[in-house]
Amino acid sequence: RASGQEGGATYCRYRLEVTGVRNAADPLTLGVQLSELRLFSGGRQVRLSGAKSLHADGPEAHGPRNAIDASLATKWLDARVLGRGGGGGESASSSTLEVEVEASELASGAAPTAYEIVAAADFPQRDPLRWSLSGLPQAGGRCVEGAGGWVRLDTQEPFSGRLPSRLTSYGRLRLPARPLSLESVLSQLDESGPLAAGSLGAGRLLGGE
């Protein structure tokens, strides 16, 4: 099992960008949905303080905070993945959930080592199938803002593991196996495209999960 990463770049926010669902052609597929998005540092769940949908296209009752409320009775639902909407820099065929890490977690210096998606209670055709997870670095307790600041940590195109049953997890997916120094992140922010950390061992299912 992965352990906490001391001295590496920590990320103040994470973005889950979903670009595909199990069955987009089904008339009941009104978008992508999930019950929970969780981050882990070793075996400990990382506390999250906020969530939002970028260019949201979903009912208020199924808003982004449902994805971090620790309740399997709620879900996040967004239709943008089906090609609706417009404006902004993101693709109109992706739905993006952004979550914020609690300040006390950032102060600890331990970066998350894995993440987990939990499927919602109904409509399996809406389950995420293709997605990427990115992080926004922080320095001195402040996010490193800017268009190139997001670091690609994992990509599933498509997810190759066993698809979940209702209210179960896709499994814990490993984040980069060694820490990125903040200096290496900052040195690459001006290069074209997002910095990708996937070559560092990300995306594999953790054993025993």
Side-chain angles (χ1 to χ4, degrees), residues 125-143:
Q125 59 269 50
R126 302 176 186 173
D127 287 349
L129 184 64
R130 300 176 184 272
W131 70 81
S132 63
L133 186 78
S134 302
L136 184 64
Q138 67 95 21
R142 303 183 67 177
C143 294

Side-chain angles (χ1 to χ4, degrees), residues 20 29 39 63 93 106 114 116 119 124 132 135 148 163 177 188 197 207:
T29 303
L39 298 171
S93 58
L106 296 177
E116 179 179 58
S132 63
L163 291 170
Q188 297 182 62

Side-chain angles (χ1 to χ4, degrees), residues 45-61:
Q45 188 169 345
V46 173
R47 294 183 299 275
L48 303 175
S49 61
K52 66 179 182 180
S53 296
L54 272 60
H55 312 293
D57 184 4
E60 186 175 348

Side-chain angles (χ1 to χ4, degrees), residues 13-201:
R13 300 176 200 154
Y14 289 80
R15 279 182 181 173
L16 180 74
E17 183 178 1
V18 181
T19 56
V21 295
R22 261 205 223 195
N23 187 357
D26 191 299
L28 294 178
T29 303
L30 304 180
V32 61
Q33 66 177 29
L34 57 89
S35 182
E36 292 287 304
L37 173 62
R38 300 166 178 163
L39 298 171
F40 296 88
S41 181
R44 181 182 65 83
Q45 188 169 345
V46 173
R47 294 183 299 275
L48 303 175
S49 61
K52 66 179 182 180
S53 296
L54 272 60
H55 312 293
D57 184 4
E60 186 175 348
H62 301 314
R65 287 199 64 87
N66 289 352
I68 63 167
D69 65 358
S71 171
L72 296 182
T74 63
K75 64 184 178 183
W76 170 63
L77 171 63
D78 189 85
R80 192 175 171 83
V81 69
L82 300 180
R84 304 176 185 175
E90 290 72 28
S91 167
S93 58
S94 66
S95 291
T96 303
L97 175 67
E98 182 176 310
V99 298
E100 186 167 356
V101 178
E102 269 194 10
S104 60
E105 296 280 0
L106 296 177
S108 74
T113 54
Y115 73 101
E116 179 179 58
I117 296 171
V118 179
D122 52 11
F123 300 110
Q125 59 269 50
R126 302 176 186 173
D127 287 349
L129 184 64
R130 300 176 184 272
W131 70 81
S132 63
L133 186 78
S134 302
L136 184 64
Q138 67 95 21
R142 303 183 67 177
C143 294
V144 181
E145 302 283 359
W150 288 91
V151 179
R152 183 73 54 80
L153 300 173
D154 184 35
T155 300
Q156 300 289 329
E157 289 285 347
F159 176 70
S160 58
R162 178 180 295 179
L163 291 170
S165 303
R166 301 305 84 210
L167 299 178
T168 60
S169 168
Y170 283 75
R172 290 190 194 177
L173 292 161
R174 191 186 302 273
L175 290 174
R178 72 172 186 266
L180 294 170
S181 70
L182 183 60
E183 290 76 14
S184 76
V185 171
L186 295 175
S187 70
Q188 297 182 62
L189 294 186
D190 292 331
E191 296 183 4
S192 60
L195 173 63
S199 61
L200 304 182

